[in-house]
Amino acid sequence: MVSILLGALSPLDGRYKQQVAPLAAHFSESALIRQRAGIELAWLKTLAPLFDFSRDTDLAKLNSIVVDDNAAAAIKDIEKTTRHDVKAVEYWLTTRLQELRLTELCPLTHFGCTSWDINNIALARMVTGALQETMSPALADIISALRQRADKCATQPMLARTHGQPASPTTVGKEFANFAARLSPRAQKIAICRLPGKMNGAVGNYNAHIVARADLDWPRIAKTFVESQGLRFASHTTQIEPYDDLADLFGLLRGVNIILLDFCRDMWGYIALDYFVQQAVAGEVGSSTMPHKINPIDFENAEGNIGVANALFSHFSDKLPVSRWQRDLSDSTVLRNIGTAFGHTLLAWSAVLRGLQRVTLNRQVLENDLDANWQVLAEAVQTVIRAENAGDNAYEQLKEFSRGATVDKERLQAFIHKLPVSDGAKARLLALTPRDYCGIAARLAQETA
């Protein structure tokens, strides 16, 4: 018999199940049902005193209702008959009230609600929980690792490569710092994300509420309730909360993924140049035919998962804020895939961190590369000539001297000796080497760290 993992349709529920397990607590079917039931129960508790139901003994019974996996299983069983997931929650809660002899509360279950009053709050809470408990800590770990690398390698010179060609040097630490600096503000936005929620009826106008109890301030009641669930209150909606903030969040996560994709491709290239050496893992196989290989599989795995996640995030952001008139159902099946996008994102972020932890700097290769490319000092030479006003064709002189040519230390210094610049400027240029020509890269790296 095929095991559950081997028979899974999605790799998130099969091959990668253990790696994304923390997200199941937020995006599984059980998690969704438990959120719905919890919100229905919380709404009932809000309504009870408004309808003069406030006896302490009976409220204690109401508080005894437990929303757990067993409740979720019971609700799912009811859904087989109702074929409506939210109505199944209402029926389950009504049954529990009857069992507790709280039948006078039964009419208040799902009072004034459309299904999406329950669902939108459940969804926002699920996403918020996943961000706070899983995604933000995972991203913080990456940023911390980048900052540690920035600090450790702050002063290690490295030949930069613009357009893939040798360029003015930087330091290894500064390049790590660049990515930490790009990720940090986005991580902060994710950490403080507070999604909106609505609780205003079938088309957002409290129609039924007002007819039933015009004496109550329903917008105030709804606002207090939504905020009690840890969300911002959405005052103007149709049947659904319009998802604009959710779309913005998906765009933010997509942006984080793009930055990490950029990082993965850079690391892949640096490994190919031997700037970094990957640690061998006992028992691991790099190639089925070439025994020597240690492939950059973590960065490649991250790149692939980012592609899948971002395709979904893009679709979510484009599709969800668009709904025909006051509501169509095309969002419902799309929303069930949010956990999938988060899952592939978490896989990618975990792989980035593993890849970072596995590489070691190859300082000798970096130094050799710098020593083989003295032509990168042409920028410094022509800029000093300009600063000294020692000729109006400084760029052209250095272009003719260095472009496409082999330039070593001796040839460059011979060229510098002939320059019509001050002795001080000439001395500075003669003392300069590619490894010293890094500007304030080390300081920038240390500031970020």
Side-chain angles (χ1 to χ4, degrees):
M1 185 177 183
V2 178
S3 73
I4 294 174
L5 294 182
L6 291 177
L9 177 62
S10 165
L12 296 182
D13 290 319
R15 183 180 184 90
Y16 304 126
K17 186 177 180 66
Q18 293 305 312
Q19 294 182 53
V20 298
L23 290 174
H26 304 287
F27 293 115
S28 67
E29 184 76 357
S30 178
L32 173 58
I33 294 171
R34 283 185 278 109
Q35 282 285 357
R36 286 171 174 155
I39 293 159
E40 289 277 15
L41 182 57
W43 181 238
L44 180 61
K45 291 177 181 179
T46 296
L47 294 175
L50 301 176
F51 284 78
D52 300 322
F53 184 89
S54 57
R55 294 184 298 276
D56 290 341
T57 54
D58 289 337
L59 287 176
K61 290 181 182 179
L62 192 58
N63 289 328
S64 73
I65 297 175
V66 177
V67 178
D68 55 14
D69 285 335
N70 290 329
I75 292 167
K76 195 65 181 175
D77 196 51
I78 296 170
E79 188 187 337
K80 294 175 184 176
T81 301
T82 63
R83 297 189 66 191
H84 193 288
D85 45 14
V86 177
K87 202 65 177 177
V89 176
E90 179 187 345
Y91 288 167
W92 170 82
L93 183 54
T94 300
T95 301
R96 293 293 295 118
L97 294 173
Q98 291 168 345
E99 292 169 350
L100 293 169
R101 295 186 176 148
L102 298 173
T103 53
E104 62 265 53
L105 269 180
C106 290
L108 294 182
T109 57
H110 203 65
F111 182 87
C113 295
T114 180
S115 294
W116 218 251
D117 285 326
I118 306 302
N119 279 335
N120 87 100
I121 296 174
L123 173 68
R125 284 173 55 83
M126 290 160 65
V127 170
T128 301
L131 291 177
Q132 293 176 347
E133 295 179 23
T134 303
M135 305 307 290
S136 283
L139 184 55
D141 285 345
I142 292 174
I143 294 171
S144 177
L146 289 170
R147 285 177 172 158
Q148 289 172 18
R149 288 277 185 165
D151 185 47
K152 185 177 180 181
C153 305
T155 60
Q156 174 59 55
M158 179 181 81
L159 188 70
R161 292 178 182 270
T162 58
H163 308 279
Q165 306 303 306
S168 300
T170 181
T171 71
V172 175
K174 167 56 169 37
E175 298 314 299
F176 282 118
N178 286 345
F179 286 101
R182 292 171 69 185
L183 290 169
S184 292
R186 289 157 181 82
Q188 291 169 12
K189 290 178 182 178
I190 292 171
I192 64 172
C193 174
R194 193 170 177 224
L195 293 171
K198 56 92 77 178
M199 196 68 172
N200 50 18
V203 291
N205 301 328
Y206 306 96
N207 303 45
H209 307 66
I210 299 300
V211 171
R213 286 289 302 270
D215 59 309
L216 296 176
D217 185 350
W218 287 107
R220 181 188 61 79
I221 294 166
K223 182 175 187 292
T224 300
F225 178 74
V226 168
E227 290 177 348
S228 76
Q229 300 301 304
L231 308 177
R232 285 179 18 247
F233 177 60
S235 60
H236 289 67
T237 77
T238 59
Q239 184 175 107
I240 59 175
E241 196 286 317
Y243 303 119
D244 297 328
D245 290 76
L246 200 57
D248 289 344
L249 171 64
F250 294 147
L252 186 59
L253 289 167
R254 186 173 180 274
V256 167
N257 279 344
I258 289 172
I259 293 169
L260 289 174
L261 175 66
D262 191 22
F263 176 71
C264 287
R265 289 180 176 173
D266 275 7
M267 288 303 295
W268 192 96
Y270 291 142
I271 290 168
L273 291 173
D274 271 343
Y275 284 5
F276 291 95
V277 176
Q278 296 182 102
Q279 298 169 359
V281 176
E284 184 180 87
V285 174
S287 166
S288 64
T289 186
M290 294 174 280
H292 68 283
K293 301 211 43 199
I294 305 176
N295 296 328
I297 55 175
D298 293 313
F299 295 114
E300 292 172 342
N301 181 279
E303 183 176 341
N305 278 293
I306 284 171
V308 176
N310 277 9
L312 288 170
F313 283 140
S314 292
H315 179 59
F316 298 160
S317 295
D318 290 344
K319 190 272 155 297
L320 290 175
V322 180
S323 183
R324 296 173 184 85
W325 296 337
Q326 284 68 52
R327 201 267 198 274
D328 70 56
L329 200 63
S330 59
D331 60 324
S332 181
T333 191
V334 173
L335 291 167
R336 291 182 178 276
N337 290 280
I338 290 176
T340 303
F342 272 62
H344 285 284
T345 297
L346 183 60
L347 283 175
W349 294 1
S350 299
V352 169
L353 191 59
R354 281 198 309 275
L356 261 173
Q357 293 168 341
R358 187 174 179 175
V359 294
T360 303
L361 200 61
N362 193 344
R363 297 181 187 276
Q364 190 58 56
V365 170
L366 290 164
E367 296 291 345
N368 292 344
D369 209 17
L370 287 162
D371 198 46
N373 287 281
W374 281 74
Q375 70 272 19
V376 298
L377 298 181
E379 178 196 36
V381 176
Q382 65 101 4
T383 304
V384 168
I385 295 172
R386 288 169 182 256
E388 295 242 327
N389 197 21
D392 56 7
N393 63 343
Y395 177 86
E396 285 71 21
Q397 287 184 59
L398 270 297
K399 176 184 173 183
E400 183 179 348
F401 169 74
S402 62
R403 193 165 192 253
T406 299
V407 179
D408 56 18
K409 176 181 179 180
E410 289 71 23
R411 185 163 179 256
L412 179 64
Q413 292 193 342
F415 180 85
I416 292 170
H417 276 296
K418 298 175 184 177
L419 292 177
V421 296
S422 67
D423 289 343
K426 192 173 292 186
R428 289 198 308 276
L429 289 174
L430 288 170
L432 192 62
T433 70
R435 75 175 325 277
D436 302 320
Y437 185 51
C438 295
I440 63 168
R443 190 178 92 195
L444 291 170
Q446 289 163 341
E447 286 174 356
T448 301

